[in-house]
Amino acid sequence: MPPKSDSVEGIVLGFVNEKFNLKKTAVQKALDALADSGQISFKEYGKQKIYIARQDQFDIPNGEELEEMKKTNAKLQEELADQKKAISEVESEVRGLQSNLTLTEITSKKSELQSEVQEMEEKLNKLRSGVTLVKPEDKKIIENSFAEKVSQWKRRKRMFKELWDNITEHSPKDQKEFKEELGIEYDEDVDVNVQSYSDMLASLNKRRKISR
């Protein structure tokens, strides 16, 4: 069975298949030239050199940005719940009006509905004065961006683990010291957990399915 395209084996296989005509010396010279020009970085590990991409070129959200996205999503969910409640109330009234009513009942219902509309308008004015309402298209953009960020996070975390395990599998050096030498930080080092954001994304997708 061929390896997955985003696994370490799949990436290496793709490189070999596409770059089979490059010799080791040429590849080494190209890597050294890229490192000398600052386009990539490298760390020496004994007689070996480990070449890595410069992390400052990737737009990766930090813990503070992810926390802000979490708060924004929670706020959007609250507003969505309020909107669903209002719609449900209106639909209930419409179903009631579809029944056969006498003129007296219609007049009474009209007065009642006018009172409810006025009350809802007052609530809406309070929301407008104290809460920034989010347009549906903006909400969708935020949710899609959040889903993409979480997906990238999980994919890169998995790829890093596979690569790190391959590098350190037969290494006599202490992994913690090696990690600090390379300047690598785990999620736990900055008090973030991808699983909590995955759970939030799953809950969001579930709500989307229910609302359809």
Side-chain angles (χ1 to χ4, degrees), residues 53-178:
R54 288 179 52 184
Q55 298 302 303
D56 57 3
Q57 67 179 308
F58 300 115
D59 184 17
I60 302 176
N62 55 36
E64 183 178 349
E65 291 173 333
L66 288 172
E67 186 63 27
E68 184 63 28
M69 291 172 66
K70 182 178 179 180
K71 292 179 180 179
T72 300
N73 182 68
K75 184 177 180 180
L76 289 172
Q77 294 304 322
E78 290 179 2
E79 293 179 1
L80 180 60
D82 291 338
Q83 293 176 8
K84 286 183 177 180
K85 182 179 179 181
I87 292 173
S88 178
E89 291 175 353
V90 172
E91 289 178 342
S92 178
E93 296 296 342
V94 170
R95 286 193 295 269
L97 290 173
Q98 288 175 341
S99 303
N100 295 325
L101 301 176
T102 65
L103 181 58
T104 302
E105 290 173 334
I106 291 175
T107 303
S108 175
K109 180 61 69 175
K110 177 182 177 182
S111 177
E112 181 182 340
L113 288 175
Q114 286 176 337
S115 177
E116 291 180 359
V117 168
Q118 182 178 355
E119 183 179 350
M120 292 178 66
E121 285 178 345
E122 291 176 356
K123 291 181 179 179
L124 183 58
N125 289 333
K126 290 180 180 179
L127 285 173
R128 286 174 175 169
S129 63
V131 179
T132 302
L133 300 179
V134 180
K135 296 180 179 178
E137 55 268 26
D138 292 337
K139 177 176 176 292
K140 184 176 181 180
I141 291 174
I142 293 173
E143 291 177 346
N144 290 341
S145 176
F146 176 72
E148 176 62 22
K149 296 295 184 183
V150 173
S151 177
Q152 289 182 12
W153 185 358
K154 293 171 66 177
R155 182 169 61 254
R156 290 176 178 175
K157 185 179 179 70
R158 183 177 66 255
M159 291 175 63
F160 168 78
K161 185 179 185 306
E162 292 178 358
L163 182 60
W164 181 256
D165 289 345
N166 288 337
I167 292 175
T168 60
E169 182 178 4
H170 302 293
S171 171
K173 193 169 185 178
D174 182 77
Q175 291 191 21
K176 183 177 180 181
E177 293 180 0
F178 188 33

Side-chain angles (χ1 to χ4, degrees), residues 162-205:
E162 292 178 358
L163 182 60
W164 181 256
D165 289 345
N166 288 337
I167 292 175
T168 60
E169 182 178 4
H170 302 293
S171 171
K173 193 169 185 178
D174 182 77
Q175 291 191 21
K176 183 177 180 181
E177 293 180 0
F178 188 33
K179 183 189 75 170
E180 293 176 352
E181 181 181 338
L182 293 174
I184 296 174
E185 290 183 329
Y186 291 163
D187 293 343
E188 295 76 11
D189 296 331
V190 292
D191 296 325
V192 294
N193 185 353
V194 68
Q195 187 58 46
S196 63
Y197 293 95
S198 296
D199 293 342
M200 187 191 309
L201 181 60
S203 177
L204 175 62
N205 291 334

